[in-house]
Amino acid sequence: MDYFKKLLDLLKTEREEDKQSYLKLTESTSVSDRRANGLSWYPIAIRGSEMSRGDYVTVEVERTTHLDISHQLRFGMPAVLFSNHDPGKDRVEGTITHQSGNRLKITLRTDELPDWSRDGKLGVDLLFDDNSYDEMQSALRSASLLAEKPDEGRLVNVLTGFKQPTFQQDIYPYQIPRLNISQQAAVAKILAANELAIIHGPPGTGKTTTLVQAIKALIKQDKKQILVVAPSNTAVDLLSEKLSDEGLNVLRVGNPARVSERLMSLTLDSKMAEHGRMKEIKNLKKQANEFKNMAHKYKRSFGKAEREQRKALFDEAHRIMKEVSNSEQYIIDDLVGKAQVITATLVGANHYTVRNLKFHTAVIDEAGQALEPACWIPILKAQKVVLAGDHFQLSPTIKSSEAARNGLAETLLEKCAKLHPEAVVLLDEQYRMNEAIMSYSAQVFYEGKLKANPAVAHHLLFPEDMPLTFIDTAGCGFDEKLEGTSSTNPEEAVFLFKHLSNLISELTNGIIRYSEANFPTVAIISPYKQQIHLLKEQLLHIPDLLLHGNKISVNTIDSFQGQERDIVYISMTRSNPEGEIGFLSDIRRMNVAMTRARKKLVVIGDSATLSRLPFYSDFITYAENLGAYKSAWEFIDS
């Protein structure tokens, strides 16, 4: 089928680009460079090991220095344990089976720890993740074959636009008092859909709340297990917790990003540990390890009798581990069978514990950030799909600009919303922003259909405050600088903090005096990483602001998706005579930035540079009409 052939070609281009950028970061680089890039833990100490499935050994390691460096080592990723004495030779590959804080477990493709693992200078390197690409490729090929079958391939043909979705007409109206009218309509659409329902949730409209209620209603209606997935561990964690809070039996497959006790109790590892048959398994594992340790004593004796004795001990250890595997499989099947909801990431939906399961319904949350090939992994397990997200916020991260340009950046959510408007329900009431902050995004992205709930429509930091301000730096000589591939604007950063300091002084000494306990939260956002570094650095030298340091966050737009703050400052950074704005032209990213604020949004930028794009010139006009336009000159003299 041409549809899937094109996707396979795009995925191949993306895989190549991803692999090249990985090799660039790892080939001929030192371990300290790899560590700085988040691809290595070094040095590490081994904290324990045990035999695991398939006679492999699982080793638990802890990183002992450089604990503050962020890293990309995650559950399910391929990795290698190495010795820095001879990293080319002394290395053994495996898969990360658990990661929490500064510890991780890696299941190595060997049945015993190598001798060199006792000599120190150990580390763990992340390998290129071929597995995720293999899973996506395999799903696309299966979907293409399925599309040729009239009955079994019905869902595939609906999602690719070759058939229309159908809806049951006789669904009993399901009343959920805590939901508003559009949220109720979304639940009704999900219950009535035979193949596809789409929940379009703009910022602050309660998409997660709606989804959780819809999943509850589906379980009540169909009495069948539901698969709930999302592209990121964080999104999966949020849904897992909320579904569990509603009293559903949730099984979280994979390794949560947030290490809360509540979430851990939903994982397979935790539920297995509490299972009645686990004591017996622990005893068996202990026996197997004892046999293996006894076998190792013969390692350097090579007589015939010793070899036979060693083999007999290993055979006994293997026999016991086979028994362990069977018992573990029984427990897994029992736990999976009892779960009402199984939650995982998109690729995690093919975890060995659930690989062969079929579901009536698969729910894909944050579908606006999901790479389409990854979505087909859970879709193939279901008869019906619910897509939830907002295709006017951040799109998926794609390494290859060629693949993005040729269609990989367009998500399945976006395609299906265009193909099947009858399957879409827009959540049209938001509970986050003052309406002055909301209205520009509502006009540009949501056809003016978004409205503010009365509880938030007019809320302010203090009476007579302006909820929205655009501060124009044109003509102030705040010129951008290029650092590496990223832009910075030091003068704009200084100006931003001066403005914020004045605001904070008003909040602590003005008409309404905020105490530290109820002091408003502040986000300082810029699209440029170098500007963020600069802002973070400058913040450290402003004593008045550091007093409220725990209330002030400085970060890129992407890291604030899904979050909100009372006050948001956006440093637009770009200011040049050519009017070049680079990826500020990604207006969906700007939609995210502009919709994080509850009570006050301050956008600081150069109108002469920004106005080259209609989105920004219209925003500046919008601010002028509200009386919210200010020139930076007004503040510079003060």
Side-chain angles (χ1 to χ4, degrees), residues 391-409:
H391 42 291
F392 297 122
Q393 291 188 64
L394 291 179
S395 50
T397 304
I398 294 170
K399 299 266 182 13
S400 161
S401 51
E402 184 194 340
R405 206 171 43 248
N406 291 331
L408 196 60

Side-chain angles (χ1 to χ4, degrees), residues 1 21 33 36 74 76 213 238 264 269 400 412 416 430 436 439 445 548 613 617 632:
M1 189 178 180
S21 59
D33 285 344
R74 302 279 181 271
Q213 293 306 316
L238 177 66
M264 283 306 177
D269 285 355
S400 161
L412 189 63
C416 288
Q430 65 83 18
S439 293
F445 297 102
H548 307 287
L613 197 73
S617 58

